[in-house]
Amino acid sequence: MSEQSRSEVTGPGHGKAAAPLRRMTARDRDEEHRAATPLELFFDLVFVVAIAQAGVALVHALAEGHIGHGVSGYAMVFFAIWWAWMNFSWFASAYDTDDVLYRVTTLVQMAGVLILAAGVSRAFDHSEFGVVWFGYVVMRVALISQWLRAGLSAHGEERRTALRYAFGVGACQVGWLGLLLLPDGAKPWLFLGMAILELMVPMWAERVRETTWHPHHIAERYGLFLIIVLGETILAATAGVRVALDENEALGDLLPIAGGGLLIIFSAWWIYFVVPVHEHLTSNRTAFLWGYGHYLVFGSAAATGAGIEVAIEESIGKAHISTTTAAACVTVPAALYLVTVWLLHARHSKRGIGQAILPATALAVLACTFAGHWAVLLAGVAAALSVVAGVTVSAIQSRTTATNGTA
């Protein structure tokens, strides 16, 4: 990449002040030292509010025994949160100019996320999606303007791809009007259909020409978002313990849940970041599967935190569910997280017995559901043992490979 072209895309995250306006040319997929910018980190922070709102709503639904409503409502709301983040992150990976206009447009998108967050409770509890829809309007007016700007700066197939994105995003936003007009019974089905259409827009747009998203940058962005989700999980668990302590509940009932929850969260972090996944993102085909699959990774990680809070509420008699159901609120999303991370990238770097560690751990975590008040602690121990097993197996295999190489 020439110094001139490099200067066109660098900004304050790279040690330079933002220019008033640059041509929005595609960044180089092979660009070295590509990392998340301060603006991207700032953008991620607004999602803390939205994820927290979804978690609180899920806790209330599960604690009251409304399992079906809680799971379906959470699945819809979390998709709205995750997809808003996805729309920005993949565009930014390909077209981040970091000039004044780009920054202002991104800040407008952030305002839309905050509006979305304000409507999460209404959408979850009463299927009132008006505020969420308006938040998306704000975000998407900004996003469509970004794609149109990219199209005006491009030529040929690259321009067609950008214009397809602009059209597809706008058309889907019109389709979401059904959430405001249809009866409540039809809204889940509309949501499912529109979610599928949303997922198809990038695949349709990039059939013309692939955007130049950066593998290392995308992998880093996903990792940073997971850290935010795990942070929300720790916050939810801490809030549950604080409430229990405020009501003078015995620590003996809380410590196993708190300790097991921390082990699950710490293990979730370790398991995810043990693999240099950017090496696997070699094409749109693998990237789409990997990127879309993270809906389950992020969603299950956040749901695990909500489940820990539910388990704490059940232990102090504030939840109207059985001990086994409360344990399942932790073990089921934790097991889903383990399996999904294994499917998406851990298995690509494992050999031999290492391939079986995460699936076996997921089964062990599910089995802990029936261990009564010790369920969360035992699930945490199982998750931690999977980390120990993974590190041990990797060390043995590396030593064997080194020995064979020198033989």
Side-chain angles (χ1 to χ4, degrees):
M1 193 175 188
S2 68
E3 289 301 318
Q4 180 181 357
S5 60
R6 185 180 299 278
S7 68
E8 291 179 352
V9 295
T10 54
H14 309 276
K16 295 186 178 182
L21 187 63
R22 297 188 178 98
R23 290 185 67 251
M24 185 168 272
T25 55
R27 299 188 68 150
D28 186 353
R29 182 172 285 186
D30 298 320
E31 179 183 344
E32 296 180 357
H33 311 298
R34 179 74 192 278
T37 66
L39 181 59
E40 288 175 315
L41 300 179
F42 190 33
F43 182 85
D44 288 355
L45 280 180
V46 300
F47 285 88
V48 172
V49 181
I51 295 171
Q53 292 296 316
V56 168
L58 179 61
V59 169
H60 290 165
L62 296 179
E64 293 298 322
H66 305 146
I67 307 299
H69 169 72
V71 172
S72 61
Y74 177 77
M76 290 191 292
V77 167
F78 198 87
F79 178 88
I81 297 169
W82 165 77
W83 192 242
W85 180 85
M86 287 272 289
N87 283 179
F88 168 78
S89 297
W90 285 83
F91 175 87
S93 190
Y95 287 103
D96 180 6
T97 56
D98 202 25
D99 59 13
V100 170
L101 181 57
Y102 178 87
R103 289 185 179 190
V104 171
T105 308
T106 301
L107 294 175
V108 172
Q109 289 179 269
M110 292 169 62
V113 176
L114 292 175
I115 295 171
L116 181 156
V120 163
S121 295
R122 286 176 174 270
F124 197 110
D125 296 332
H126 307 294
S127 295
E128 295 178 5
F129 289 92
V131 178
V132 171
W133 182 85
F134 181 69
Y136 253 79
V137 169
V138 174
M139 286 187 290
R140 290 196 145 168
V141 167
L143 180 64
I144 290 170
S145 72
Q146 294 277 51
W147 279 116
L148 291 175
R149 185 183 170 197
L152 291 173
S153 300
H155 302 280
E157 292 182 345
E158 183 183 349
R159 172 174 289 183
R160 287 179 58 200
T161 295
L163 295 180
R164 280 193 175 198
Y165 265 112
F167 174 80
V169 169
C172 284
Q173 189 58 38
V174 174
W176 286 112
L177 272 172
L179 291 177
L180 310 183
L181 304 175
L182 295 179
D184 288 350
K187 289 179 180 179
W189 296 107
L190 173 71
F191 200 105
L192 178 61
M194 288 305 305
I196 293 173
L197 289 177
E198 290 276 4
L199 296 175
M200 291 176 63
V201 168
M203 292 186 285
W204 170 68
E206 304 216 6
R207 288 182 64 183
V208 178
R209 183 181 186 274
E210 293 186 4
T211 54
T212 56
W213 50 268
H214 193 284
H216 190 280
H217 176 251
I218 282 293
E220 181 188 22
R221 297 289 291 117
Y222 273 70
L224 291 171
F225 195 73
L226 178 68
I227 290 174
I228 285 179
V229 172
L230 292 178
E232 285 292 330
T233 299
I234 293 175
L235 180 62
T238 303
V241 173
R242 178 184 56 77
V243 170
L245 292 177
D246 289 345
E247 298 184 5
N248 299 316
E249 296 293 336
L251 281 176
D253 295 329
L254 301 177
L255 289 179
I257 299 174
L262 280 179
L263 286 175
I264 291 172
I265 296 167
F266 292 165
S267 299
W269 173 86
W270 191 296
I271 290 166
Y272 186 90
F273 288 101
V274 75
V275 179
V277 72
H278 66 275
E279 298 175 358
H280 174 63
L281 304 180
T282 56
S283 67
N284 268 12
R285 182 177 180 180
T286 57
F288 278 137
L289 179 62
W290 180 85
Y292 288 174
H294 271 71
Y295 167 66
L296 296 177
V297 174
F298 297 146
S300 60
T304 300
I308 294 170
E309 191 170 351
V310 171
I312 292 172
E313 291 195 3
E314 188 280 329
S315 72
I316 62 176
K318 293 187 65 177
H320 304 119
I321 53 176
S322 67
T323 301
T324 300
T325 301
C329 292
V330 180
T331 57
V332 171
L336 178 61
Y337 175 90
L338 293 169
V339 170
T340 309
V341 171
W342 174 75
L343 284 172
L344 291 180
H345 60 253
R347 65 187 177 91
H348 299 295
S349 64
K350 300 296 182 181
R351 293 180 289 118
I353 194 174
Q355 286 279 8
I357 292 175
L358 289 185
T361 303
L363 292 175
V365 167
L366 286 176
C368 293
T369 304
F370 307 98
H373 289 292
W374 296 96
V376 178
L377 178 60
L378 291 177
V381 170
L385 288 176
S386 75
V387 173
V388 174
V391 171
T392 302
V393 169
S394 295
I396 293 173
Q397 291 177 341
S398 297
R399 192 159 49 244
T400 301
T401 300
T403 301
N404 293 339
T406 58

